[in-house]
Short mmCIF file of all heavy atoms in Angstrom, two decimals:
data_model
loop_
_atom_site.label_atom_id
_atom_site.label_comp_id
_atom_site.label_asym_id
_atom_site.label_seq_id
_atom_site.Cartn_x
_atom_site.Cartn_y
_atom_site.Cartn_z
N ALA S 966 3.59 -6.68 -17.68
CA ALA S 966 3.77 -6.41 -16.25
C ALA S 966 3.41 -7.68 -15.46
O ALA S 966 2.56 -8.44 -15.83
CB ALA S 966 2.88 -5.26 -15.81
N ALA S 967 4.10 -7.86 -14.36
CA ALA S 967 3.86 -8.99 -13.50
C ALA S 967 2.49 -8.82 -12.82
O ALA S 967 2.05 -7.73 -12.52
CB ALA S 967 4.94 -9.09 -12.45
N ARG S 968 1.81 -9.92 -12.61
CA ARG S 968 0.48 -9.91 -12.00
C ARG S 968 0.46 -10.80 -10.77
O ARG S 968 1.17 -11.78 -10.72
CB ARG S 968 -0.57 -10.38 -12.98
CG ARG S 968 -0.61 -9.68 -14.33
CD ARG S 968 -0.98 -8.22 -14.21
NE ARG S 968 -2.31 -8.02 -13.71
CZ ARG S 968 -3.39 -7.79 -14.43
NH1 ARG S 968 -3.27 -7.67 -15.73
NH2 ARG S 968 -4.56 -7.60 -13.86
N LEU S 969 -0.35 -10.42 -9.79
CA LEU S 969 -0.51 -11.26 -8.63
C LEU S 969 -1.44 -12.42 -9.00
O LEU S 969 -2.32 -12.29 -9.82
CB LEU S 969 -1.06 -10.47 -7.47
CG LEU S 969 -0.20 -9.32 -6.99
CD1 LEU S 969 -0.90 -8.56 -5.88
CD2 LEU S 969 1.14 -9.82 -6.49
N ASP S 970 -1.28 -13.54 -8.34
CA ASP S 970 -2.05 -14.72 -8.67
C ASP S 970 -3.31 -14.77 -7.82
O ASP S 970 -3.45 -15.60 -6.92
CB ASP S 970 -1.21 -15.97 -8.44
CG ASP S 970 -1.59 -17.10 -9.35
OD1 ASP S 970 -2.35 -16.86 -10.29
OD2 ASP S 970 -1.12 -18.22 -9.10
N LEU S 971 -4.26 -13.85 -8.08
CA LEU S 971 -5.50 -13.79 -7.31
C LEU S 971 -6.68 -13.95 -8.26
O LEU S 971 -6.59 -13.68 -9.46
CB LEU S 971 -5.62 -12.41 -6.63
CG LEU S 971 -4.49 -12.06 -5.65
CD1 LEU S 971 -4.62 -10.64 -5.19
CD2 LEU S 971 -4.52 -13.00 -4.47
N PRO S 972 -7.85 -14.40 -7.77
CA PRO S 972 -9.02 -14.59 -8.64
C PRO S 972 -9.45 -13.33 -9.36
O PRO S 972 -9.89 -13.37 -10.51
CB PRO S 972 -10.12 -15.06 -7.69
CG PRO S 972 -9.39 -15.59 -6.50
CD PRO S 972 -8.10 -14.86 -6.40
N VAL S 973 -9.31 -12.17 -8.72
CA VAL S 973 -9.73 -10.92 -9.36
C VAL S 973 -8.67 -10.36 -10.30
O VAL S 973 -8.88 -9.37 -10.97
CB VAL S 973 -10.10 -9.85 -8.32
CG1 VAL S 973 -11.30 -10.28 -7.52
CG2 VAL S 973 -8.90 -9.56 -7.41
N ASP S 974 -7.51 -11.00 -10.32
CA ASP S 974 -6.39 -10.48 -11.13
C ASP S 974 -6.74 -10.31 -12.58
O ASP S 974 -6.34 -9.32 -13.19
CB ASP S 974 -5.22 -11.44 -10.97
CG ASP S 974 -3.92 -10.80 -11.48
OD1 ASP S 974 -3.73 -9.59 -11.26
OD2 ASP S 974 -3.13 -11.54 -12.09
N ALA S 975 -7.48 -11.21 -13.16
CA ALA S 975 -7.83 -11.15 -14.56
C ALA S 975 -8.78 -9.98 -14.86
O ALA S 975 -8.81 -9.43 -15.95
CB ALA S 975 -8.42 -12.45 -15.05
N ALA S 976 -9.58 -9.60 -13.86
CA ALA S 976 -10.59 -8.58 -14.08
C ALA S 976 -10.09 -7.17 -13.83
O ALA S 976 -10.63 -6.21 -14.34
CB ALA S 976 -11.79 -8.84 -13.17
N LEU S 977 -9.05 -7.03 -13.05
CA LEU S 977 -8.54 -5.71 -12.69
C LEU S 977 -7.17 -5.44 -13.29
O LEU S 977 -6.27 -6.24 -13.13
CB LEU S 977 -8.44 -5.55 -11.17
CG LEU S 977 -9.74 -5.53 -10.38
CD1 LEU S 977 -9.42 -5.54 -8.92
CD2 LEU S 977 -10.55 -4.32 -10.75
N PRO S 978 -6.98 -4.28 -13.91
CA PRO S 978 -5.63 -3.94 -14.33
C PRO S 978 -4.73 -3.68 -13.12
O PRO S 978 -5.22 -3.36 -12.02
CB PRO S 978 -5.80 -2.68 -15.16
CG PRO S 978 -7.19 -2.24 -15.00
CD PRO S 978 -7.95 -3.31 -14.31
N ALA S 979 -3.45 -3.80 -13.31
CA ALA S 979 -2.52 -3.63 -12.18
C ALA S 979 -2.67 -2.27 -11.52
O ALA S 979 -2.58 -2.15 -10.30
CB ALA S 979 -1.06 -3.85 -12.66
N ALA S 980 -2.89 -1.22 -12.30
CA ALA S 980 -3.01 0.12 -11.74
C ALA S 980 -4.20 0.20 -10.78
O ALA S 980 -4.10 0.86 -9.72
CB ALA S 980 -3.15 1.17 -12.85
N ALA S 981 -5.34 -0.45 -11.10
CA ALA S 981 -6.50 -0.41 -10.24
C ALA S 981 -6.16 -1.12 -8.90
O ALA S 981 -6.62 -0.72 -7.85
CB ALA S 981 -7.68 -1.07 -10.93
N GLY S 982 -5.39 -2.18 -8.99
CA GLY S 982 -5.01 -2.91 -7.77
C GLY S 982 -4.09 -2.07 -6.89
O GLY S 982 -4.22 -2.06 -5.67
N VAL S 983 -3.17 -1.32 -7.53
CA VAL S 983 -2.25 -0.45 -6.76
C VAL S 983 -3.07 0.67 -6.09
O VAL S 983 -2.86 0.94 -4.91
CB VAL S 983 -1.17 0.14 -7.68
CG1 VAL S 983 -0.37 1.21 -6.94
CG2 VAL S 983 -0.25 -0.97 -8.18
N VAL S 984 -4.00 1.25 -6.81
CA VAL S 984 -4.81 2.35 -6.23
C VAL S 984 -5.66 1.82 -5.07
O VAL S 984 -5.69 2.43 -3.99
CB VAL S 984 -5.71 2.99 -7.29
CG1 VAL S 984 -6.75 3.92 -6.68
CG2 VAL S 984 -4.88 3.76 -8.30
N GLY S 985 -6.30 0.67 -5.27
CA GLY S 985 -7.13 0.09 -4.22
C GLY S 985 -6.33 -0.29 -2.99
O GLY S 985 -6.72 0.04 -1.85
N SER S 986 -5.19 -0.92 -3.19
CA SER S 986 -4.39 -1.32 -2.03
C SER S 986 -3.79 -0.11 -1.32
O SER S 986 -3.66 -0.11 -0.08
CB SER S 986 -3.29 -2.29 -2.44
OG SER S 986 -2.35 -1.66 -3.28
N THR S 987 -3.48 0.93 -2.08
CA THR S 987 -2.97 2.16 -1.51
C THR S 987 -3.99 2.83 -0.59
O THR S 987 -3.69 3.24 0.54
CB THR S 987 -2.54 3.15 -2.59
OG1 THR S 987 -1.48 2.57 -3.32
CG2 THR S 987 -2.12 4.47 -2.03
N LEU S 988 -5.24 2.88 -1.04
CA LEU S 988 -6.29 3.48 -0.22
C LEU S 988 -6.52 2.68 1.06
O LEU S 988 -6.67 3.25 2.13
CB LEU S 988 -7.58 3.60 -1.05
CG LEU S 988 -7.54 4.59 -2.18
CD1 LEU S 988 -8.81 4.55 -2.98
CD2 LEU S 988 -7.28 6.01 -1.66
N VAL S 989 -6.53 1.35 0.94
CA VAL S 989 -6.71 0.52 2.12
C VAL S 989 -5.53 0.73 3.10
O VAL S 989 -5.71 0.89 4.30
CB VAL S 989 -6.86 -0.96 1.75
CG1 VAL S 989 -6.77 -1.87 2.95
CG2 VAL S 989 -8.14 -1.19 0.98
N PHE S 990 -4.32 0.77 2.58
CA PHE S 990 -3.11 0.93 3.41
C PHE S 990 -3.20 2.27 4.17
O PHE S 990 -2.95 2.34 5.36
CB PHE S 990 -1.86 0.88 2.56
CG PHE S 990 -0.57 0.89 3.33
CD1 PHE S 990 -0.09 -0.28 3.91
CD2 PHE S 990 0.16 2.04 3.49
CE1 PHE S 990 1.08 -0.29 4.66
CE2 PHE S 990 1.35 2.06 4.20
CZ PHE S 990 1.80 0.88 4.77
N ALA S 991 -3.59 3.34 3.47
CA ALA S 991 -3.69 4.66 4.12
C ALA S 991 -4.79 4.67 5.16
O ALA S 991 -4.64 5.24 6.23
CB ALA S 991 -3.91 5.73 3.09
N LEU S 992 -5.94 4.03 4.86
CA LEU S 992 -7.04 4.00 5.82
C LEU S 992 -6.71 3.17 7.07
O LEU S 992 -7.26 3.41 8.14
CB LEU S 992 -8.30 3.44 5.14
CG LEU S 992 -8.91 4.37 4.11
CD1 LEU S 992 -10.06 3.65 3.39
CD2 LEU S 992 -9.45 5.66 4.75
N LEU S 993 -5.81 2.21 6.94
CA LEU S 993 -5.39 1.43 8.08
C LEU S 993 -4.32 2.12 8.94
O LEU S 993 -3.90 1.59 9.97
CB LEU S 993 -4.88 0.05 7.63
CG LEU S 993 -5.93 -0.88 7.07
CD1 LEU S 993 -5.32 -2.15 6.51
CD2 LEU S 993 -6.99 -1.21 8.13
N HIS S 994 -3.89 3.28 8.49
CA HIS S 994 -2.89 4.07 9.26
C HIS S 994 -3.45 5.45 9.53
O HIS S 994 -2.86 6.47 9.15
CB HIS S 994 -1.57 4.16 8.46
CG HIS S 994 -0.87 2.85 8.33
ND1 HIS S 994 -1.22 1.90 7.39
CD2 HIS S 994 0.14 2.36 9.03
CE1 HIS S 994 -0.42 0.88 7.53
NE2 HIS S 994 0.40 1.09 8.50
N PRO S 995 -4.60 5.54 10.25
CA PRO S 995 -5.20 6.82 10.52
C PRO S 995 -4.45 7.60 11.61
O PRO S 995 -3.79 6.97 12.46
CB PRO S 995 -6.59 6.48 11.01
CG PRO S 995 -6.43 5.14 11.68
CD PRO S 995 -5.37 4.45 10.84
N PRO S 996 -4.53 8.93 11.58
CA PRO S 996 -3.88 9.69 12.66
C PRO S 996 -4.66 9.58 13.94
O PRO S 996 -5.89 9.71 13.97
CB PRO S 996 -3.90 11.12 12.09
CG PRO S 996 -5.09 11.17 11.19
CD PRO S 996 -5.18 9.77 10.62
N ILE S 997 -3.96 9.35 15.03
CA ILE S 997 -4.59 9.31 16.36
C ILE S 997 -4.81 10.75 16.85
O ILE S 997 -5.83 11.09 17.40
CB ILE S 997 -3.73 8.52 17.34
CG1 ILE S 997 -3.62 7.06 16.87
CG2 ILE S 997 -4.32 8.59 18.75
CD1 ILE S 997 -2.64 6.23 17.62
N LEU S 998 -3.82 11.56 16.61
CA LEU S 998 -3.86 13.00 16.96
C LEU S 998 -3.89 13.84 15.70
O LEU S 998 -3.34 13.43 14.67
CB LEU S 998 -2.67 13.36 17.83
CG LEU S 998 -2.50 12.57 19.12
CD1 LEU S 998 -1.17 12.93 19.75
CD2 LEU S 998 -3.64 12.86 20.07
N LYS S 999 -4.48 15.02 15.81
CA LYS S 999 -4.54 15.92 14.66
C LYS S 999 -3.14 16.24 14.11
O LYS S 999 -2.99 16.35 12.91
CB LYS S 999 -5.20 17.22 15.15
CG LYS S 999 -5.90 18.01 14.14
CD LYS S 999 -6.61 19.12 14.89
CE LYS S 999 -7.35 20.01 13.98
NZ LYS S 999 -8.05 21.09 14.67
N GLU S 1000 -2.16 16.33 14.99
CA GLU S 1000 -0.81 16.67 14.60
C GLU S 1000 -0.17 15.57 13.74
O GLU S 1000 0.87 15.77 13.11
CB GLU S 1000 0.06 16.94 15.80
CG GLU S 1000 -0.36 18.15 16.62
CD GLU S 1000 -1.54 17.84 17.58
OE1 GLU S 1000 -1.75 16.64 17.92
OE2 GLU S 1000 -2.24 18.79 17.93
N LEU S 1001 -0.74 14.34 13.79
CA LEU S 1001 -0.17 13.24 13.05
C LEU S 1001 -0.79 13.02 11.69
O LEU S 1001 -0.54 11.96 11.07
CB LEU S 1001 -0.30 11.96 13.90
CG LEU S 1001 0.47 11.96 15.22
CD1 LEU S 1001 0.18 10.70 16.01
CD2 LEU S 1001 1.94 12.11 15.00
N ARG S 1002 -1.57 13.95 11.20
CA ARG S 1002 -2.20 13.81 9.89
C ARG S 1002 -1.16 13.61 8.78
O ARG S 1002 -1.43 12.87 7.82
CB ARG S 1002 -3.12 14.97 9.59
CG ARG S 1002 -4.41 14.87 10.35
CD ARG S 1002 -5.38 15.93 9.95
NE ARG S 1002 -6.57 15.82 10.76
CZ ARG S 1002 -7.42 16.79 10.94
NH1 ARG S 1002 -7.20 17.97 10.37
NH2 ARG S 1002 -8.48 16.61 11.71
N PRO S 1003 0.02 14.27 8.85
CA PRO S 1003 0.99 14.00 7.81
C PRO S 1003 1.41 12.51 7.74
O PRO S 1003 1.79 12.04 6.71
CB PRO S 1003 2.18 14.87 8.20
CG PRO S 1003 1.56 15.99 8.98
CD PRO S 1003 0.42 15.36 9.72
N TRP S 1004 1.24 11.80 8.86
CA TRP S 1004 1.57 10.36 8.88
C TRP S 1004 0.68 9.63 7.89
O TRP S 1004 1.12 8.74 7.20
CB TRP S 1004 1.41 9.81 10.28
CG TRP S 1004 1.58 8.34 10.35
CD1 TRP S 1004 0.61 7.42 10.57
CD2 TRP S 1004 2.78 7.59 10.16
NE1 TRP S 1004 1.14 6.13 10.55
CE2 TRP S 1004 2.47 6.23 10.31
CE3 TRP S 1004 4.09 7.94 9.92
CZ2 TRP S 1004 3.43 5.23 10.19
CZ3 TRP S 1004 5.03 6.94 9.80
CH2 TRP S 1004 4.71 5.60 9.94
N THR S 1005 -0.62 9.98 7.83
CA THR S 1005 -1.52 9.31 6.93
C THR S 1005 -1.16 9.67 5.48
O THR S 1005 -1.21 8.80 4.58
CB THR S 1005 -2.98 9.71 7.21
OG1 THR S 1005 -3.28 9.31 8.54
CG2 THR S 1005 -3.93 9.03 6.26
N ALA S 1006 -0.74 10.88 5.22
CA ALA S 1006 -0.28 11.27 3.88
C ALA S 1006 0.97 10.46 3.50
O ALA S 1006 1.12 10.01 2.37
CB ALA S 1006 -0.02 12.75 3.80
N PHE S 1007 1.85 10.29 4.47
CA PHE S 1007 3.05 9.48 4.24
C PHE S 1007 2.68 8.02 3.97
O PHE S 1007 3.24 7.39 3.07
CB PHE S 1007 3.99 9.57 5.45
CG PHE S 1007 5.22 8.74 5.34
CD1 PHE S 1007 6.24 9.08 4.49
CD2 PHE S 1007 5.33 7.56 6.11
CE1 PHE S 1007 7.38 8.28 4.40
CE2 PHE S 1007 6.44 6.75 5.98
CZ PHE S 1007 7.48 7.12 5.14
N ALA S 1008 1.70 7.52 4.71
CA ALA S 1008 1.23 6.13 4.49
C ALA S 1008 0.63 5.98 3.09
O ALA S 1008 0.79 4.95 2.44
CB ALA S 1008 0.18 5.75 5.54
N LEU S 1009 -0.04 7.05 2.62
CA LEU S 1009 -0.58 7.00 1.26
C LEU S 1009 0.54 6.89 0.24
O LEU S 1009 0.51 6.09 -0.71
CB LEU S 1009 -1.42 8.26 1.02
CG LEU S 1009 -2.19 8.34 -0.29
CD1 LEU S 1009 -3.33 7.30 -0.26
CD2 LEU S 1009 -2.77 9.73 -0.47
N LEU S 1010 1.58 7.69 0.40
CA LEU S 1010 2.73 7.66 -0.50
C LEU S 1010 3.43 6.30 -0.43
O LEU S 1010 3.75 5.70 -1.48
CB LEU S 1010 3.73 8.75 -0.14
CG LEU S 1010 5.03 8.74 -0.92
CD1 LEU S 1010 4.79 9.08 -2.39
CD2 LEU S 1010 6.01 9.74 -0.33
N VAL S 1011 3.66 5.79 0.73
CA VAL S 1011 4.33 4.50 0.89
C VAL S 1011 3.45 3.40 0.33
O VAL S 1011 3.94 2.44 -0.25
CB VAL S 1011 4.68 4.25 2.38
CG1 VAL S 1011 5.19 2.82 2.59
CG2 VAL S 1011 5.74 5.22 2.83
N GLY S 1012 2.13 3.55 0.49
CA GLY S 1012 1.21 2.56 -0.09
C GLY S 1012 1.34 2.47 -1.59
O GLY S 1012 1.28 1.39 -2.18
N VAL S 1013 1.52 3.62 -2.25
CA VAL S 1013 1.72 3.63 -3.70
C VAL S 1013 3.01 2.87 -4.05
O VAL S 1013 3.05 2.05 -4.95
CB VAL S 1013 1.80 5.07 -4.25
CG1 VAL S 1013 2.27 5.10 -5.70
CG2 VAL S 1013 0.44 5.75 -4.13
N LEU S 1014 4.07 3.16 -3.29
CA LEU S 1014 5.34 2.47 -3.52
C LEU S 1014 5.25 0.98 -3.29
O LEU S 1014 5.72 0.19 -4.10
CB LEU S 1014 6.44 3.11 -2.65
CG LEU S 1014 6.76 4.57 -2.92
CD1 LEU S 1014 7.74 5.09 -1.90
CD2 LEU S 1014 7.28 4.76 -4.30
N PHE S 1015 4.60 0.59 -2.21
CA PHE S 1015 4.46 -0.85 -1.92
C PHE S 1015 3.59 -1.52 -2.95
O PHE S 1015 3.86 -2.65 -3.40
CB PHE S 1015 3.84 -1.07 -0.54
CG PHE S 1015 4.75 -0.81 0.61
CD1 PHE S 1015 4.26 -0.79 1.91
CD2 PHE S 1015 6.10 -0.58 0.43
CE1 PHE S 1015 5.11 -0.56 3.00
CE2 PHE S 1015 6.94 -0.31 1.51
CZ PHE S 1015 6.43 -0.32 2.79
N GLY S 1016 2.49 -0.85 -3.37
CA GLY S 1016 1.65 -1.44 -4.40
C GLY S 1016 2.35 -1.59 -5.73
O GLY S 1016 2.20 -2.60 -6.42
N ALA S 1017 3.13 -0.57 -6.11
CA ALA S 1017 3.90 -0.65 -7.35
C ALA S 1017 4.95 -1.76 -7.27
O ALA S 1017 5.16 -2.48 -8.23
CB ALA S 1017 4.53 0.68 -7.65
N LEU S 1018 5.55 -1.87 -6.12
CA LEU S 1018 6.59 -2.93 -5.89
C LEU S 1018 5.94 -4.31 -6.04
O LEU S 1018 6.52 -5.19 -6.68
CB LEU S 1018 7.22 -2.74 -4.53
CG LEU S 1018 8.38 -3.66 -4.17
CD1 LEU S 1018 9.50 -3.52 -5.17
CD2 LEU S 1018 8.86 -3.37 -2.77
N ALA S 1019 4.76 -4.47 -5.50
CA ALA S 1019 4.06 -5.75 -5.63
C ALA S 1019 3.68 -6.01 -7.09
O ALA S 1019 3.80 -7.14 -7.58
CB ALA S 1019 2.81 -5.77 -4.76
N ALA S 1020 3.22 -5.00 -7.78
CA ALA S 1020 2.84 -5.14 -9.19
C ALA S 1020 4.04 -5.50 -10.08
O ALA S 1020 3.97 -6.37 -10.94
CB ALA S 1020 2.15 -3.90 -9.73
N VAL S 1021 5.15 -4.84 -9.82
CA VAL S 1021 6.35 -5.08 -10.64
C VAL S 1021 6.97 -6.45 -10.33
O VAL S 1021 7.36 -7.18 -11.24
CB VAL S 1021 7.40 -3.94 -10.40
CG1 VAL S 1021 8.72 -4.29 -11.03
CG2 VAL S 1021 6.86 -2.66 -11.01
N SER S 1022 7.03 -6.76 -9.03
CA SER S 1022 7.71 -8.04 -8.66
C SER S 1022 6.75 -9.23 -8.84
O SER S 1022 7.22 -10.37 -8.92
CB SER S 1022 8.17 -7.97 -7.21
OG SER S 1022 7.07 -7.97 -6.32
N GLY S 1023 5.45 -8.99 -8.85
CA GLY S 1023 4.50 -10.09 -8.95
C GLY S 1023 4.37 -10.89 -7.67
O GLY S 1023 3.86 -11.98 -7.66
N SER S 1024 4.86 -10.31 -6.57
CA SER S 1024 4.85 -11.01 -5.29
C SER S 1024 4.57 -10.02 -4.17
O SER S 1024 4.93 -8.83 -4.27
CB SER S 1024 6.21 -11.67 -5.07
OG SER S 1024 6.32 -12.15 -3.74
N LEU S 1025 3.94 -10.51 -3.11
CA LEU S 1025 3.75 -9.65 -1.95
C LEU S 1025 4.96 -9.69 -1.00
O LEU S 1025 5.01 -8.90 -0.06
CB LEU S 1025 2.48 -10.10 -1.19
CG LEU S 1025 1.16 -9.85 -1.85
CD1 LEU S 1025 0.01 -10.43 -1.06
CD2 LEU S 1025 0.99 -8.37 -2.09
N LEU S 1026 5.89 -10.57 -1.26
CA LEU S 1026 7.03 -10.70 -0.38
C LEU S 1026 7.86 -9.40 -0.34
O LEU S 1026 8.26 -8.98 0.74
CB LEU S 1026 7.92 -11.87 -0.85
CG LEU S 1026 9.15 -12.13 0.03
CD1 LEU S 1026 8.72 -12.50 1.43
CD2 LEU S 1026 9.96 -13.25 -0.56
N ALA S 1027 8.10 -8.80 -1.46
CA ALA S 1027 8.90 -7.57 -1.52
C ALA S 1027 8.29 -6.44 -0.68
O ALA S 1027 8.98 -5.86 0.16
CB ALA S 1027 9.13 -7.13 -2.94
N PRO S 1028 7.01 -6.10 -0.85
CA PRO S 1028 6.47 -5.02 0.01
C PRO S 1028 6.37 -5.42 1.48
O PRO S 1028 6.51 -4.56 2.33
CB PRO S 1028 5.11 -4.73 -0.58
CG PRO S 1028 4.80 -5.82 -1.53
CD PRO S 1028 6.08 -6.48 -1.89
N ILE S 1029 6.19 -6.68 1.74
CA ILE S 1029 6.13 -7.12 3.18
C ILE S 1029 7.48 -6.91 3.81
O ILE S 1029 7.60 -6.39 4.94
CB ILE S 1029 5.66 -8.59 3.27
CG1 ILE S 1029 4.17 -8.68 2.93
CG2 ILE S 1029 5.93 -9.15 4.65
CD1 ILE S 1029 3.65 -10.10 2.78
N VAL S 1030 8.54 -7.32 3.11
CA VAL S 1030 9.90 -7.14 3.66
C VAL S 1030 10.21 -5.66 3.84
O VAL S 1030 10.75 -5.25 4.87
CB VAL S 1030 10.95 -7.83 2.74
CG1 VAL S 1030 12.34 -7.44 3.15
CG2 VAL S 1030 10.75 -9.33 2.79
N CYS S 1031 9.83 -4.83 2.86
CA CYS S 1031 10.05 -3.39 2.97
C CYS S 1031 9.28 -2.79 4.16
O CYS S 1031 9.79 -1.90 4.82
CB CYS S 1031 9.67 -2.67 1.68
SG CYS S 1031 10.81 -2.96 0.34
N HIS S 1032 8.08 -3.27 4.40
CA HIS S 1032 7.29 -2.76 5.52
C HIS S 1032 7.97 -3.10 6.86
O HIS S 1032 7.92 -2.33 7.79
CB HIS S 1032 5.90 -3.35 5.48
CG HIS S 1032 4.94 -2.74 6.46
ND1 HIS S 1032 4.85 -3.15 7.76
CD2 HIS S 1032 4.02 -1.72 6.34
CE1 HIS S 1032 3.93 -2.45 8.36
NE2 HIS S 1032 3.42 -1.56 7.54
N LEU S 1033 8.60 -4.25 6.90
CA LEU S 1033 9.30 -4.67 8.13
C LEU S 1033 10.54 -3.85 8.39
O LEU S 1033 10.97 -3.71 9.53
CB LEU S 1033 9.67 -6.15 8.06
CG LEU S 1033 8.46 -7.11 8.10
CD1 LEU S 1033 8.94 -8.53 7.86
CD2 LEU S 1033 7.68 -6.98 9.38
N LEU S 1034 11.12 -3.28 7.33
CA LEU S 1034 12.31 -2.47 7.50
C LEU S 1034 11.91 -1.14 8.06
O LEU S 1034 12.51 -0.44 8.66
CB LEU S 1034 13.05 -2.27 6.17
CG LEU S 1034 13.54 -3.58 5.51
CD1 LEU S 1034 14.14 -3.26 4.14
CD2 LEU S 1034 14.56 -4.27 6.39
#
């Protein structure tokens, strides 16, 4: 599997990086209103997809471009 070129890369398996980045992504997209809680769940799902995309491509460019879309 492709790996990101970071100092912690050798210590963490790709799955741990995807889980960690997913949690951070979801926490950075909190609901402002109670009715928007599904938005955070959606951010969690998209975070998994972006993290997997970064792990597979070995680059942050792909998830960054997808986020802009």
Side-chain angles (χ1 to χ4, degrees):
R968 305 295 297 260
L969 298 177
D970 209 12
L971 301 173
V973 295
D974 193 39
L977 292 174
V983 170
V984 169
S986 66
T987 296
L988 292 175
V989 169
F990 188 80
L992 290 173
L993 290 175
H994 292 80
I997 296 170
L998 303 172
K999 206 173 180 179
E1000 297 81 22
L1001 296 176
R1002 284 186 183 159
W1004 174 251
T1005 300
F1007 177 73
L1009 187 68
L1010 174 67
V1011 172
V1013 169
L1014 296 174
F1015 286 171
L1018 185 58
V1021 169
S1022 70
S1024 170
L1025 290 175
L1026 183 61
I1029 289 171
V1030 169
C1031 287
H1032 189 275
L1033 293 174
L1034 299 176

